[in-house]
Amino acid sequence: MTKEDTLVTENTRNTYTLEQAQNLTRDEVRGNYKQYVNPGIVQMLSMLDFDKQYVKAQDISVWDSEGNEYIDFLGGYGSLNVGHNHPRVLEAVKSSMEKPNLLQASMGTLAAALAHNLAQILPGDLEKTFFCNSGAEAVEGALKLARAASDKDKIIYCAHSFHGKSMGALSVTGRSKYQTAFAPLLPGCDYVPFGDLALLEKEMQRGDVAAFIFEPIQGEGGVILPPTGYIQGVRELCDKYGALMIADEIQTGFGRTGHMFACEGEKVVPDIICLAKSLGGGVMPMGAYVTKTEIWEKAYGGMEKATMHTSTFGGNTLACAAGIETIQVIMEEDLVERARERGHYLLTRLNLLKDKYPIIADVRGKGLLVGLEFKKLEGGLMNKLTGGMMTKLSQEYLGALVAGELQNKYGIITAYTLNNPNVIRLEPPLTVGEAHIDQVIDALEDIFSKKQSFTSMALSSGKTVLGSFFKK
């Protein structure tokens, strides 16, 4: 045996087989994640006992390694519109496994079919699809398309928006926390307030705007809805000043808001639409952008430009199989209408809670994309004893603490929104039933009816943010 053979043997001796990996304990997962992945994530999740090991999932339910069942009201940030492991989506992937998955010197059969299906369900004349692997990649492609299809280079985006964390997508994501360390970002990107048509027009009047990118509802901004007529107003301004309208429907698409796509609520057809998350049925990673033929032709028409923007895994067979079946499930199970009905029920019950408990500052949303915002708490003896830390924690972690109570005491998974940590999102699979919604409402009622203060939530179990603060 050569020295090189010995090194290979020694280096592979401690690797896990798949069977061994599937049987790792919670502590082993935590240790490996801390050493080999992201120690900060381990610390953050551990503080609220969010570092559970989930071992099984079906529809709206997941189970941890200790046999506890939870209902998922986070829904993969909108990736699980048809629920966890929908049997039809799993079967679609399995039935396609003997077909070539990656064969670039060809045209994918299922990619062609999925692109056709998307053109049928999208509004207007959106029909040219580029497949990729994630929402951020879809945004990257849309930004490149907008610049390539015009003689302009400026991109306008919205404050508090979230479009992804790759370099181009980050350049149009409206929170400095995620941008500062990576500056300088993509040049020519400026922001305006979300919902403000007057300031958007002021930016467009200069005549140098290639595109305006926006979310029909700002998910990570705290589930912020625009004023009625805003999306239609954006369409009119883009037409007036020759800018392309890019709708980021990565989170709002595929029935989430009670429309197949949120822009349909104002009968608007964007020039480019970004899709991902539930396009893969919660089973396969998948993204896409879809545009109009004339825009595609300007950017990538003809053989010379046909390969200017490509993706190795984009449109692979297994992902497209999942996408085709996901769309069929959404239509055949009438999940768009179900999202509208269940969303109305959820919002109605949450607003009744808001009327009873002052800690709830606002309830807002559309369909099954709902945000619950809490008032920032200030003052008190505990705040003085901690040198103002109590106020800081209430401003930055109150949503997380409520999410922690819901998960650890009531078996309900939620999370706060990235750009507004005082908002928890309620974004369950569209298959959710009224009984599940009642379970969430009852849990929130129990939390608030006990007049449980922020302090007691923070101190409970010694695993919370404030408990960690005292241990330092």
Side-chain angles (χ1 to χ4, degrees), residues 328-357:
Q328 295 303 309
V329 168
I330 289 171
M331 293 190 300
E332 291 173 22
E333 296 186 7
D334 203 14
L335 294 185
V336 178
E337 179 61 28
R338 187 161 183 170
R340 185 181 299 118
E341 293 175 354
R342 296 292 189 265
H344 176 74
Y345 182 72
L346 175 59
L347 284 165
T348 299
R349 295 218 59 191
L350 286 172
N351 275 302
L352 292 174
L353 283 185
K354 178 178 177 290
D355 293 339
K356 292 176 65 176
Y357 302 109

Side-chain angles (χ1 to χ4, degrees), residues 77-131:
Y77 304 113
S79 299
L80 296 167
N81 286 10
V82 299
H84 286 274
N85 295 325
H86 196 290
R88 286 180 53 180
V89 179
L90 291 178
E91 182 56 36
V93 174
K94 291 177 183 177
S95 69
S96 304
M97 282 184 171
E98 293 187 4
K99 300 181 185 300
N101 192 42
L102 297 172
L103 193 60
Q104 276 74 17
S106 68
M107 293 175 286
T109 300
L110 298 193
L114 179 55
H116 168 272
N117 289 359
L118 286 172
Q120 309 313 304
I121 66 172
L122 282 162
D125 50 354
L126 292 165
E127 64 174 13
K128 288 292 190 294
T129 296
F130 176 86
F131 290 115

Side-chain angles (χ1 to χ4, degrees), residues 172-212:
V172 294
T173 286
R175 192 179 182 193
S176 59
K177 173 181 177 179
Y178 302 125
Q179 295 178 320
T180 302
F182 307 104
L185 297 173
L186 193 68
C189 298
D190 294 318
Y191 69 87
V192 295
F194 182 60
D196 193 323
L197 291 172
L199 285 179
L200 177 59
E201 181 166 23
K202 185 177 179 180
E203 289 291 331
M204 287 187 170
Q205 283 174 338
R206 301 188 182 113
D208 59 349
V209 175
F212 173 61

Side-chain angles (χ1 to χ4, degrees), residues 1 42 110 166 191 196 265 267 278 326 345 357 362 437 445:
M1 180 179 291
V42 177
L110 298 193
S166 55
Y191 69 87
D196 193 323
K267 296 180 172 55
S278 269
T326 295
Y345 182 72
Y357 302 109
D362 196 16
I437 293 172
E445 177 90 41

